Amino acid sequence: KARLTYNLVWSWLSGEAEPDNEVHQALQPHIKNLYKLFQALHKARWARGAIDFETTETQMLFNADGKIENIVPVVRNDAHRVIEECMLAANVCASDFLAEHKQTCLYRVHAAPSEEKLKNLRAFLGEFGMALAGGDDPHAKDYAMLLEKIKLRPDFQLLQTVMLRSLKQAMYSPDNVGHFGLAYEHYTHFTSPIRRYPDLLVHRAIKAVLAGEGYNPAQSWDDIGLQCSATERRADEATRDVENWLKCFFMKERIGEEFDGTISAVTGFGIFVALDAIYVEGLVHVSDLGQDYFQFDNIKHQMLGERTGQRFRLGDRVRVRLVRADLESNRIDFVMAQAAG
């Protein structure tokens, strides 16, 4: 009936603006009903105990010459969430329909965390006097309740990051083990057949059921699931590589500048720092951390100086200086600002 944008719809729902033509006015009752539906679905998501991590997506703004002018966070509003909840509902309906008709398909599965990851997470949380409920078999609700409990803590981002990293990656499989993070027993990808092959397969399977037939692709479902999962990872890596190259290109002109940031990852070879203002991440090599021998602690997500006791932990605030932005390797290198002199 109309070509709408997220921001336009949100301006109506939030009361910031009124529809300015007859077509838009006629849509208002439907949009308001849809918003009520979203609120009901969102409430059901909370009751189900789905995990809702707070992450920041970014976008690059380019100038007329095609150079990056700035990197800014993507601001989401409830109009985005309305569509998201509708897509989740459609995916669940498609999955339920195929399960009910015993038609094999590719489910989008997200297995529960491994025993080792859970053990490490509990050890880490114990350092902060906290615990994840659920014993050896926690549910998404246990994660969601802990996230709600720690929301107002100053170290929330640190705790959330460690919790997020304890989870497995979602993948495609004909073996339906459910979706841990979304707290669904049945879930598949159905809503993007023009850009995602697993969705197209689900459409073919539904089409076959509606025609009273069965759908069996040329390859085995297991093989297709593995191939689609691997292709998804490769596409994610390609996206990341392009973004990293663009960020290196953006930072090349800023060598020597100092930035404030947060430690976003700790490894045996150094710490990664995510900058506050421009959403760029780079490495401080272990040899540039200071005049000490630093021990890497995988469970506590930290580097600890043997002699000085100086500690660099995931989530700590640091000030760094940019020393290298290499377009060949897509690598950005920092040194600690105080040690840069």
Side-chain angles (χ1 to χ4, degrees), residues 159 221 283 288:
L159 298 168
W221 282 106
L283 174 74
D288 293 315

Side-chain angles (χ1 to χ4, degrees), residues 272-314:
F272 285 91
V273 177
L275 306 184
D276 290 350
I278 46 178
Y279 302 93
V280 165
E281 196 175 61
L283 174 74
V284 179
H285 193 266
V286 63
S287 59
D288 293 315
L289 287 177
Q291 301 298 314
D292 202 345
Y293 180 76
F294 285 88
Q295 288 273 18
F296 170 53
D297 187 328
N298 185 35
I299 292 171
K300 293 182 181 176
H301 298 267
Q302 69 179 27
M303 284 279 203
L304 189 64
E306 274 189 357
R307 185 171 45 80
T308 60
Q310 187 179 16
R311 181 178 72 172
F312 294 97
R313 188 174 67 188
L314 182 72

Side-chain angles (χ1 to χ4, degrees), residues 146-331:
L146 183 55
L147 279 171
E148 190 60 28
K149 197 172 162 186
I150 64 175
K151 212 164 223 173
L152 299 176
R153 288 177 61 117
D155 52 9
F156 170 70
Q157 282 301 336
L158 158 68
L159 298 168
Q160 177 184 250
T161 301
V162 176
M163 287 172 71
L164 180 59
R165 288 177 186 173
S166 73
L167 299 176
K168 291 184 176 176
Q169 283 188 307
M171 61 181 291
Y172 296 105
S173 171
D175 181 21
N176 180 30
V177 299
H179 198 295
F180 181 84
L182 291 171
Y184 285 133
E185 285 181 28
H186 294 279
Y187 190 69
T188 193
H189 273 167
F190 161 82
T191 50
S192 300
I194 60 168
R195 64 185 184 90
R196 208 165 44 193
Y197 189 59
D199 302 58
L200 185 63
L201 290 172
V202 168
H203 278 245
R204 287 174 181 167
I206 290 172
K207 193 175 176 183
V209 170
L210 292 174
E213 301 163 3
Y215 175 58
N216 293 301
Q219 275 177 288
S220 78
W221 282 106
D222 282 305
D223 286 347
I224 293 175
L226 289 170
Q227 188 179 335
C228 287
S229 298
T231 304
E232 179 190 26
R233 303 275 177 271
R234 200 164 75 240
D236 285 344
E237 283 163 19
T239 304
R240 232 180 349 260
D241 281 350
V242 171
E243 285 182 355
N244 288 342
W245 189 90
L246 287 166
K247 285 175 180 179
C248 276
F249 190 75
F250 177 58
M251 294 299 280
K252 247 185 123 50
E253 295 168 9
R254 308 191 67 169
I255 287 171
E257 287 185 37
E258 290 188 3
F259 303 90
D260 291 312
T262 302
I263 296 177
S264 56
V266 183
T267 70
F269 53 85
I271 60 171
F272 285 91
V273 177
L275 306 184
D276 290 350
I278 46 178
Y279 302 93
V280 165
E281 196 175 61
L283 174 74
V284 179
H285 193 266
V286 63
S287 59
D288 293 315
L289 287 177
Q291 301 298 314
D292 202 345
Y293 180 76
F294 285 88
Q295 288 273 18
F296 170 53
D297 187 328
N298 185 35
I299 292 171
K300 293 182 181 176
H301 298 267
Q302 69 179 27
M303 284 279 203
L304 189 64
E306 274 189 357
R307 185 171 45 80
T308 60
Q310 187 179 16
R311 181 178 72 172
F312 294 97
R313 188 174 67 188
L314 182 72
D316 281 354
R317 304 283 298 147
V318 289
R319 188 165 177 81
V320 293
R321 187 173 123 190
L322 177 64
V323 291
R324 186 165 169 257
D326 182 43
L327 292 173
E328 290 294 314
S329 62
N330 288 354
R331 188 170 145 178

Side-chain angles (χ1 to χ4, degrees), residues 29-69:
H30 304 295
I31 286 172
K32 281 173 182 165
N33 282 338
L34 186 61
Y35 193 49
K36 283 179 190 166
L37 172 64
F38 151 73
Q39 288 167 325
L41 289 169
H42 198 67
K43 198 173 172 185
R45 183 204 279 232
W46 174 246
R48 215 170 57 243
I51 309 171
D52 200 3
F53 286 110
E54 288 181 13
T55 54
T56 304
E57 287 184 34
T58 59
Q59 64 179 13
M60 296 176 188
L61 303 179
F62 293 85
N63 62 21
D65 301 323
K67 281 191 172 183
I68 301 174
E69 206 157 70

